[in-house]
Every structure is written in structure tokens, then in C-alpha cells.
Amino acid sequence: MSAEQAVLERNLDVYVQGSGPALLLAHGAGGGIEGNFGLVLDDLARDHTLIGPHYPGAGGTPVATEPLDPDELADALVASAVARGHETFVILGESLGTAIAVRAATRHPERVTGLVLTAGFPVADPVLAHASQLIALLGKAGEWEEVARLAFLACLSESQLNGLSPTEVEEAVAQVKASMPPGMLDHFDLVSRVDVRGDLTGVTAPALVFAPTGDRLVLPESSRRLAAGIQGATLIELPGAGHILDADNRALWLGHVRRFVASLGPISA
């Protein structure tokens, strides 16, 4: 690890819960550990140690002073688990976190024993690329309410949106705005630049890939490409699910994840 990577790892705000074999959590852009994994943290922590580093500008991690580097970020995530006594672990990546997880698996194959990739992408598809550009333009113009509106509308499925009244939509947009991390623009800048297509064939760890078919931010085909590129990967489609999984879809996700992790056998704690 370079000196810069070591400094980044020390500066990361890391969520830790539970005991047992480690699950390393890689969150998405503009989110955080509780925002992405909050519905399942307590369940998974019953028999695993959850290690959830926050990217620069998320959680309590300071905002980056330079553009985020996917290699340094992947190394820092791995280092955050190793520093807490875990030599091997499964990585659970969501959205941007899937690309970081793939990069970590190819840079540290001796440590990554499995991958769970949800609503992810090897490179930004046209919808995600344009959304990232809009978020950057709106954010730089100080139009943070519109950033929140775009993020909210993109992350819900059509059925979820149709079930909300106009008042509920406005309330939700206000909540999204209040929860957006300081590093949101840095995260989406990385979304627009990261490209792990060349890493997929180098992944040797077993992989479970989830494609929410109602995702309107990251096209379902992006998750399918992740699964197709990783030898032996299992693809599970979640019909109608949005980019952010609701309680019912997250419960389905949890069952599949638990069976997958159990199939990997003992992992050193």
C-alpha cells in the first residue's frame, strides 16, 4: 500500500458492527453504509462482523482534496478490514460500490473470498452517465434541491413513485436533500470515470449479482454485463425493484445473500 493509500485508510470513518467472519461493505455514490444497507445491518451482524468504510465526503470521512482514485479507494477499503484483524472477507457492493468491489477483488484476490454486487455497473451506461453529468452541473450551480429531486426520482421504481402523493414526493425530496453527503459531487465524478470492464475476467472469487429490473438510474443491463463478464457469476433479477431496494426486495436479497455466503464455507475471522 502506498503512503497515500495508508493515509486515506486512516482517515476513513468506518462503521463496525457484530462479530464473526467479516463482510466488507462498499456503498454507493451519494450514500453511506446506513443509507444503503440499513435494512439488513442488524440481521447480518448476528453472525458476521460488518465493516463499512465511508468514502471521502460521506459519513464522518473528510471531503477529498483531489479527485477520487478507484485503486486507492479499493485498497483503502481492503486495508480497513485488515486493520481490524480480518485477513479475508466477502465484499458487498452497491451501485458505485460494485465497481470498487470488483477492483478490490482483482487487486487483492488472496483476501476477497466472494462478491455480492447489487444494482451495479462495470462502466457508466448512457442513463447513469447523463444523470451524473446533470448532478455535477446542478451541484456546481448550487441547485441542491434539484440534485435531490433528480436523485430521488431516479432511485425509485415506477411503482414506488406511482404510490406517492405530490406532498409525499416533496417531503421525500426534502429528506434526500438533508441527507446528501458533502462528497456527493466527488462520488458522481468517480461514477462518470470508473471503468472495470477490463477487471471482470480477472475476478476469481465467486460472485452473486443482483439486477433490479425497475432501476431507472443504473440500467438493469449494466448488472447483467457485470454477471456476464465474471466467470461463474450467478445473476438474480429482482422484478420491478428500484435502484434503492425497498423492504420486500431487500428481504429477498438478504435470503439469497445468506445462502451465498454460507455456500462459500468457513472464512477466517
Side-chain angles (χ1 to χ4, degrees):
M1 179 187 298
S2 71
E4 291 81 3
Q5 292 157 0
V7 170
L8 177 56
E9 185 277 324
R10 288 198 299 272
N11 286 337
L12 293 182
D13 170 34
V14 182
Y15 176 100
V16 180
Q17 182 182 357
S19 61
L23 299 178
L24 181 58
L25 310 179
H27 68 76
I33 297 303
E34 293 196 12
N36 280 177
F37 300 99
L39 293 176
V40 294
L41 291 173
D42 288 343
D43 186 285
L44 291 174
R46 289 189 293 110
D47 44 13
H48 291 86
T49 300
L50 307 184
I51 301 173
H54 287 92
Y55 306 156
T61 303
V63 175
T65 57
E66 297 180 354
L68 299 179
D69 180 277
D71 290 347
E72 291 184 2
L73 192 54
D75 289 351
L77 262 64
V78 168
S80 70
V82 175
R84 287 161 179 80
H86 297 275
E87 297 295 325
T88 59
F89 33 80
V90 176
I91 305 181
L92 279 58
E94 303 259 332
S95 194
L96 171 61
T98 64
I100 302 304
V102 166
R103 187 59 58 85
T106 57
R107 290 174 67 82
H108 304 276
E110 76 286 359
R111 297 198 182 280
V112 180
T113 60
L115 292 175
V116 176
L117 309 175
T118 305
F121 56 93
V123 67
D125 57 51
V127 171
L128 181 58
H130 281 84
S132 298
Q133 184 178 23
L134 285 172
I135 287 172
L137 291 171
L138 291 169
K140 290 175 182 177
E143 299 289 347
W144 293 107
E145 182 172 340
E146 302 312 314
V147 171
R149 189 176 304 279
L150 174 59
F152 172 73
L153 294 176
C155 286
L156 268 65
S157 68
E158 181 179 353
S159 62
Q160 289 173 315
L161 285 172
N162 286 337
L164 297 175
S165 69
T167 299
E168 289 172 325
V169 168
E170 294 306 313
E171 291 174 349
V173 168
Q175 292 174 355
V176 171
K177 181 182 177 183
S179 66
M180 288 191 305
M184 184 160 183
L185 296 188
D186 292 332
H187 299 173
F188 275 95
D189 171 66
L190 180 56
V191 166
S192 69
R193 293 184 286 107
V194 71
D195 186 347
V196 298
R197 287 176 292 183
D199 296 82
L200 298 181
T201 57
V203 174
T204 57
L208 178 63
V209 181
F210 290 92
T213 65
D215 195 336
R216 301 179 323 123
L217 179 61
V218 178
L219 296 178
E221 188 59 29
S222 289
S223 288
R224 298 183 185 118
R225 287 179 182 142
L226 274 178
I230 299 173
Q231 185 175 5
T234 298
L235 174 67
I236 295 177
E237 298 198 354
L238 300 173
H243 189 67
I244 301 297
L245 301 184
D246 61 18
D248 289 341
N249 282 299
R250 189 59 87 174
L252 289 173
W253 177 95
L254 179 61
H256 287 296
V257 170
R258 280 201 162 276
R259 288 188 289 274
F260 172 73
V261 172
S263 75
L264 301 177
I267 302 172
S268 64

